[in-house]
Amino acid sequence: MITVTDLAIQFNKKPLFEEVNLKFSPGNCYGVIGANGAGKSTFLKILSGQLDSTKGFVEMAPGERLSVLVQDHFAFDEHTVLDTVLIGHKHLWENMQRKNELYSKPDFSDADGEEVAKLEEQFGEMGGWTAESDAANLLSGLGIKEDLHYMLMKDLSGKQKVKVLLAQALFGNPDNLLLDEPTNDLDLETVLWLEDYLANFPNTVIVVSHDRHFLDNVCTDIVDIDYGKIRMFSGNYTFWYESSQLALRQQAAQNKKAEEKRKELMEFISRFSANVAKSKQTTSRKKMLEKLNIEEIAPSTRRYPGIIFTPERPAGDKVLEIRDLSYTMEDGTKLFDEISFNVEKNDKICLLSHDVRATTALYRILNGELQPTSGTFSWGTTISMAYLPLDNTSFFDKKIDLTNWLAQFSPNTEDFFLRQYLGKMLFGSDDIKKTCNVLSGGEKMRCMIAKMMLSNPNVVMLDHPTNHLDMESIQAFNNNMKTYPGNILMTSHDHEFIRSVCNRVIEITPNGTIDKYMDFEEYMQDEAIKEKREAMYGA
């Protein structure tokens, strides 16, 4: 249990948040949300003791252990993978080191023997006898194979390090677990594994994440950092979002009577409860619904960008034909070989691959930026396509303001017209004076989306569309893509974006494709497809 009392922090005399009073209890998972810069990571650092608050204090119950997901990927480069995980349980690791030190003494004394006896007793109480096998099981669950367990961390890839550090945080069943963006750089299979693991975790979890599907599947409560306040709400992310939007609409309807509003809110809770009760989500298992309180429901002060794609004309019968398309990199790496498929009208396709370079290469070929090694593709004559690349760096190398930047891609260069599009993407009058080369990653993504909207496409290609975006922009983008009447080809780590938008999955491997018209979650969980995927990647 973690108790936060009258907490406040300020930087340069400006408070980030204040008067925070919260209690985090065992058996619950708390998702911390807030706009970029609201203080999510700062709040976790205060909880973990890495940062001092300006006022107030944080307490844990006596004897409880806190574990934190380490963000420094180079901190354990000189340790083996297995030792890195064991280090996650500080007291156990210190015990092991002290025992080894004593046993290796050439003049082992009676006093040393007494100390070792105590250490051995403590070692057993901390689960030391099964520690290495427990750590190995965690690593295997996260996809770190046994042949890597005794390698040095510095010899692992960045994505492998992420998994090892996650295993370190989870190791030893900590009483309190703090996870800052734990799904970053994880493949979808590992995210699903982590969801299942946390579903059965008996203690307190506090997590910051932009992954809405992950928050929905693991969270019993949402902790919202908004305009200097931190408030806790029962329910998962979707419940918080939909209820706050309902409350916002009610607030706008000034003429609606109080009892009518209450009835509408109660009906909303009833509908939500029925949906969740039928699911296998963690929120249901932990009886989240019993804690729902109508008085908690309040409108959010968040601002959501106006992402609206409106095709200038519908697509014709022919959208895209791909025949025997192959691409091999200069170093000889084969990313895909003789792939063939048609994109049909109304297809919203999730393109998957274990190697992100494969999907990115395909998008760039279809956009005319790369030449395939062999094979052909052809777009239909009615198609107007807009592309959101994985790397947008080259678009922002000029020192021009945002209006002039957007004018490069618009037949209408009138200032008022362009400011409308920038305004939809939440760029105010001061923001548009910035030069585009100094924008943050999120601001660049919003500029790219504005550029795409200008072309009124009937096909969009999205290579990781949620990268760098805050939750509000992701939610707005996702909402529009769900109702977008054109075709979509998309690759993303955002499970919810894919699940709610796509009706077809095409997985690209070095040895062909798997092509299914089916729900994304069904695709990921289908045992026959899992076996086929393993065979095609392993061949």
Side-chain angles (χ1 to χ4, degrees), residues 472-500:
E472 293 71 45
S473 299
I474 293 171
Q475 189 71 60
F477 205 170
N478 192 171
N479 288 349
N480 184 246
M481 289 295 99
K482 286 192 287 188
T483 58
Y484 174 63
N487 285 88
I488 299 172
L489 286 83
M490 177 177 73
T491 300
S492 178
H493 288 306
D494 190 309
H495 193 140
E496 179 62 19
F497 208 130
I498 300 170
R499 184 203 65 78
S500 61

Side-chain angles (χ1 to χ4, degrees), residues 316-484:
D317 291 334
K318 178 183 175 181
V319 178
L320 173 65
E321 292 181 358
I322 294 175
R323 290 289 172 268
D324 301 322
L325 206 65
S326 302
Y327 185 74
T328 302
M329 298 175 64
E330 290 183 2
D331 65 1
T333 303
K334 182 173 65 174
L335 296 182
F336 49 85
D337 188 35
E338 295 187 352
I339 62 172
S340 299
F341 60 86
N342 288 352
V343 177
E344 307 294 344
K345 205 169 182 178
N346 301 318
D347 278 353
K348 295 187 176 182
I349 298 170
C350 169
L351 287 174
L352 287 182
S353 179
H354 280 187
D355 191 338
V356 70
R357 295 175 300 177
T359 48
T360 294
L362 179 58
Y363 289 127
R364 293 186 65 199
I365 288 169
L366 297 178
N367 197 47
E369 297 176 16
L370 273 183
Q371 286 297 314
T373 304
S374 62
T376 62
F377 71 92
S378 61
W379 291 100
T381 56
T382 62
I383 298 305
S384 57
M385 188 269 292
Y387 170 45
L388 185 67
L390 178 64
D391 182 5
N392 58 35
T393 307
S394 62
F395 288 88
F396 297 95
D397 54 3
K398 296 180 182 178
K399 292 184 179 180
I400 54 177
D401 65 34
L402 301 197
T403 308
N404 284 313
W405 181 87
L406 194 58
Q408 300 174 105
F409 312 106
S410 174
N412 185 342
T413 57
E414 291 182 11
D415 194 66
F416 175 74
F417 175 78
L418 297 171
R419 282 174 179 251
Q420 280 185 313
Y421 279 86
L422 292 169
K424 289 176 183 177
M425 300 310 298
L426 304 183
F427 289 108
S429 55
D430 290 334
D431 295 321
I432 61 176
K433 296 174 185 175
K434 293 180 181 178
T435 56
C436 65
N437 62 313
V438 301
L439 296 178
S440 68
E443 288 171 327
K444 287 177 180 177
M445 283 292 283
R446 285 188 278 131
C447 282
M448 292 297 292
I449 295 169
K451 168 187 173 293
M452 293 175 69
M453 289 194 298
L454 275 170
S455 63
N456 298 317
N458 53 29
V459 174
V460 293
M461 296 197 304
L462 308 174
D463 195 352
H464 292 84
T466 64
N467 281 8
H468 305 294
L469 292 180
D470 57 23
M471 291 280 271
E472 293 71 45
S473 299
I474 293 171
Q475 189 71 60
F477 205 170
N478 192 171
N479 288 349
N480 184 246
M481 289 295 99
K482 286 192 287 188
T483 58
Y484 174 63

Side-chain angles (χ1 to χ4, degrees), residues 31-221:
V32 182
I33 64 171
N36 287 349
K40 301 183 293 294
S41 294
T42 298
F43 183 56
L44 256 62
K45 286 179 181 177
I46 293 173
L47 294 180
S48 67
Q50 298 174 54
L51 186 66
D52 292 330
S53 61
T54 307
K55 182 184 177 185
F57 54 91
V58 175
E59 291 180 302
M60 282 194 302
E64 287 194 345
R65 187 167 73 87
L66 175 73
S67 185
V68 181
L69 177 60
V70 174
Q71 301 296 318
D72 182 358
H73 295 177
F74 305 98
F76 304 96
D77 272 0
E78 299 306 319
H79 291 275
T80 66
V81 168
L82 195 62
D83 281 353
T84 299
V85 177
L86 295 172
I87 289 169
H89 194 323
K90 182 182 177 183
H91 297 310
L92 178 65
W93 179 252
E94 289 174 348
N95 179 294
M96 293 169 68
Q97 300 310 296
R98 180 58 180 161
K99 280 197 308 170
N100 291 338
E101 181 184 329
L102 290 170
Y103 280 131
S104 63
K105 287 179 67 173
D107 54 344
F108 190 83
S109 65
D110 290 343
D112 293 332
E114 290 177 6
E115 184 180 352
V116 164
K118 290 180 182 178
L119 288 170
E120 292 288 11
E121 183 180 356
Q122 294 167 1
F123 184 72
E125 290 172 353
M126 289 187 286
W129 303 115
T130 60
E132 289 200 5
S133 61
D134 292 343
N137 286 336
L138 269 177
L139 288 167
S140 297
L142 286 163
I144 302 297
K145 296 180 179 178
E146 193 172 345
D147 58 354
L148 300 176
H149 291 186
Y150 294 95
M151 287 179 60
L152 290 178
M153 285 286 284
K154 65 181 180 183
D155 297 324
L156 266 58
S157 69
K159 289 188 177 182
Q160 289 171 330
K161 284 184 176 182
V162 168
K163 294 181 179 183
V164 176
L165 293 175
L166 182 55
Q168 181 192 74
L170 300 175
F171 175 67
N173 198 33
D175 301 288
N176 300 287
L177 179 59
L178 304 187
L179 302 173
D180 193 353
E181 297 291 358
T183 63
N184 278 6
D185 295 318
L186 295 184
D187 53 68
L188 290 166
E189 291 94 339
T190 308
V191 172
L192 292 173
W193 179 92
L194 181 59
E195 288 178 2
D196 289 340
Y197 185 91
L198 293 179
N200 296 299
F201 190 75
N203 300 328
T204 304
V205 183
I206 303 174
V207 58
V208 171
S209 178
H210 283 81
D211 188 329
R212 296 159 302 147
H213 186 273
F214 178 74
L215 291 177
D216 274 352
N217 277 358
V218 303
C219 289
T220 58
D221 300 82

